[in-house]
Amino acid sequence: MTYDSDILIVGGGLNGPALALAAAQAGLSSTVIDAQPEAAMTDADFDGRAYALALGSVRMLRRLGIWEAVAGNAQPMLEIKVSDGRAGEGPLSPFFLHFDHAEIEEGPMGHMLEDRYLRRALIDAMAASPQITVLNGETVTAQEAGAQGVGVTLASGRTLNAHLLVGADGRTSGTAARAGIRRTGWDYGQTALVCAIEHEKPHGGVAHQFFMPPGPLAILPLPGNRSSIVWSETHDTAARFMALDDAGFLEMLRPRFGNFLGGIALAGKRFSYPLNLTVANSFAGDRLALIGDAAHGMHPIAGQGLNAGFRDVAALAQVLAEARMRGEDIGTAPVLDRYQAWRRFDTATLAMTTDLTNRLFSNDNPLLRFARDLGMGAVNAVPGLRRGLIREAAGLTGDLPELMRG
Ligand SMILES: Cc1cc2nc3c(=O)[nH]c(=O)nc-3n(C[C@H](O)[C@H](O)[C@H](O)COP(=O)(O)OP(=O)(O)OC[C@H]3O[C@@H](n4cnc5c(N)ncnc54)[C@H](O)[C@@H]3O)c2cc1C
């Protein structure tokens, strides 16, 4: 078999490029294949999301040489306020959770960064790496693993070979499906409405999570007097709100948002993302590893999806680097089992925690409301517990891969 590279990565979204860069640092070459043309992915209107990047993820981006390119557009997250309420009450209910970065010594819990800056920086860094080949506008349609290596076939008819295949192809991963890996999950009946808004008053680096019966509303600070909104509603309501013009949309948002930041206006296009849970039953197969949403697509309630994907990236890159140093074939089961053992339990637990949080908070049952308000009050009153949750949100707990350590 002749090899085009050490690793074939299906999916050039966010996790695929991050893995290619991390693997390159370990001396491993990658070919990254994505169905989308590069011009579409770098269009500022391609994806309206902004990510709450935990400190662990920021550390990894710094080590990959990406952070310098995006730091000027990132907003440090200094505090998080979580409160319960109904539409019209605004995010200032008497029961709340308050996390302040001053309670941990590492600095801000994380940074908010818009997709357009992160994606651009990853694409530029891949272009600058001699270890990485990028094929845009190419769809993988078939794959075959053997004793010597793994091959993929593209829709164009071209074939490529490597030692290892990585599925970074998102929530409906064809790479996982073609390998016979089943998934567990369900539809949340919710759609996230995403947009950036401008507001009169400064946000002070404070992120708000406001729980309402149809789903959470997150108000996340961006540079300047701007915030990113992730607003979950039932599919029908979300479709109705998306169909409104900008003025009608803002009229629906205002009473939910409250007026604590003064007047608000839209600062760009609106986007919608249907929400579901989908976890692959295995993160490894025959010469195959799954990372990012291909392994675990979860509710954005805790802003942890990409952070979990970046942990997969850092863990897999470390496992592969160590295997290569020992002279092992990086596509073999003992190597891939080490990756799976490191990541699968942690991620399944995180996915279930986000699922439970969404169930507990996305309803108006008075008993549950009372219980969760008491719970929030109790957590808020215990500094040790609060500090533990801050460190968890900052991505500083558990068995941290080397790329995410300070
Ligand atoms: C509303 C919302 C808000 C979020 N906010 C946060 C947050 O604050 N913090 C956080 O950590 N996470 C957040 N997330 C989660 C985060 O967006 C995802 O985890 C992340 O984008 C997944 O990236 P990925 O690279 O794994 O997959 P994707 O971005 O889905 O990329 C998959 C790529 O694979 C390509 N592809 C698919 N099939 C093929 C094929 N056959 N051949 C070639 N290419 C193919 C696609 O074109 C695509 O580019 C949020 C999610 C949502 C929905």
Side-chain angles (χ1 to χ4, degrees):
M1 189 177 257
T2 53
Y3 301 100
D4 295 276
S5 51
D6 292 312
I7 311 170
L8 291 174
I9 301 176
V10 188
L14 301 172
N15 286 303
L19 179 70
L21 293 165
Q25 285 198 345
L28 295 162
S29 63
S30 301
T31 304
V32 180
I33 308 154
D34 201 287
Q36 304 264 0
E38 189 190 315
M41 295 174 99
T42 51
D43 186 318
D45 281 343
F46 178 70
D47 188 318
R49 280 176 285 194
Y51 306 107
L53 292 176
L55 183 55
S57 297
V58 171
R59 284 178 178 166
M60 184 183 86
L61 291 176
R62 202 171 271 136
R63 292 278 296 274
L64 297 182
I66 300 291
W67 191 246
E68 301 82 82
V70 295
N73 291 307
Q75 167 65 47
M77 228 160 40
L78 305 177
E79 294 175 53
I80 303 176
K81 290 184 175 171
V82 182
S83 56
D84 202 351
R86 290 192 186 86
E89 287 177 357
L92 296 173
S93 101
F95 298 101
F96 62 89
L97 264 173
H98 182 203
F99 302 117
D100 189 333
H101 79 291
E103 293 195 52
I104 59 169
E105 68 242 25
E106 285 89 348
M109 295 166 253
H111 286 73
M112 287 301 302
L113 180 62
E114 289 169 74
D115 180 276
R116 55 186 166 146
Y117 299 120
L118 179 57
R119 201 174 286 271
R120 176 84 258 176
L122 288 167
I123 288 172
D124 289 349
M126 286 198 296
S129 169
Q131 303 270 54
I132 302 173
T133 306
V134 180
L135 298 177
N136 274 114
E138 292 273 19
T139 305
V140 174
T141 55
Q143 67 204 42
E144 198 179 346
Q148 304 302 317
V150 59
V152 298
T153 306
L154 309 181
S156 59
R158 188 170 167 188
T159 57
L160 297 162
N161 295 318
H163 300 280
L164 172 68
L165 177 64
V166 173
D169 47 349
R171 288 173 182 237
T172 55
S173 173
T175 311
R178 282 187 289 274
I181 297 176
R182 291 168 179 269
R183 311 185 75 84
T184 303
W186 38 83
D187 179 17
Y188 282 121
Q190 294 171 327
T191 293
L193 300 166
V194 173
C195 61
I197 54 149
E198 262 165 338
H199 35 79
E200 256 171 358
K201 299 184 189 167
H203 47 55
V206 183
H208 295 267
Q209 178 86 277
F210 177 34
F211 291 114
M212 296 186 299
L217 168 68
I219 302 167
L220 306 159
L222 295 177
N225 278 7
R226 291 185 312 132
S227 291
S228 169
I229 302 294
V230 183
W231 171 17
S232 303
E233 286 285 347
T234 61
H235 291 318
D236 288 350
T237 310
R240 207 155 37 81
F241 290 173
M242 277 304 279
L244 295 171
D245 61 12
D246 285 356
F249 182 83
L250 273 176
E251 226 168 273
M252 294 299 134
L253 177 61
R254 261 189 209 104
R256 291 160 171 85
F257 193 100
N259 56 11
F260 70 109
L261 289 174
I264 57 170
L266 278 172
K269 270 180 63 171
R270 295 180 262 143
F271 298 80
S272 67
Y273 299 87
L275 302 179
N276 68 335
L277 175 79
T278 167
V279 182
N281 291 358
S282 173
F283 286 11
D286 219 2
R287 290 198 173 268
L288 170 68
L290 299 177
I291 60 167
D293 279 17
H296 44 76
M298 59 188 80
H299 199 289
I301 196 162
Q304 288 298 330
L306 183 59
N307 291 305
F310 279 176
R311 265 209 198 202
D312 300 343
V313 166
L316 182 58
Q318 187 171 327
V319 165
L320 297 180
E322 288 166 359
R324 181 50 69 91
M325 270 195 320
R326 287 195 206 115
E328 286 174 285
D329 176 345
I330 60 166
T332 51
V335 176
L336 300 175
D337 286 349
R338 291 204 286 275
Y339 164 64
Q340 160 129 275
W342 195 345
R343 291 302 298 144
R344 185 145 194 289
F345 179 72
D346 265 16
T347 320
T349 310
L350 176 65
M352 293 324 290
T353 308
T354 57
D355 182 82
L356 278 174
T357 311
N358 184 51
R359 277 169 205 274
L360 181 62
F361 282 93
S362 297
N363 67 70
D364 211 9
N365 178 318
L367 213 66
L368 278 181
R369 204 179 159 92
F370 178 65
R372 70 198 185 208
D373 284 353
L374 271 186
M376 284 203 284
V379 172
N380 214 34
V382 184
L385 190 52
R386 219 173 41 230
R387 260 196 304 279
L389 287 171
I390 295 172
R391 294 184 65 79
E392 185 81 40
L396 299 174
T397 55
D399 188 3
L400 276 184
E402 220 268 311
L403 279 175
M404 293 189 154
R405 290 191 205 139

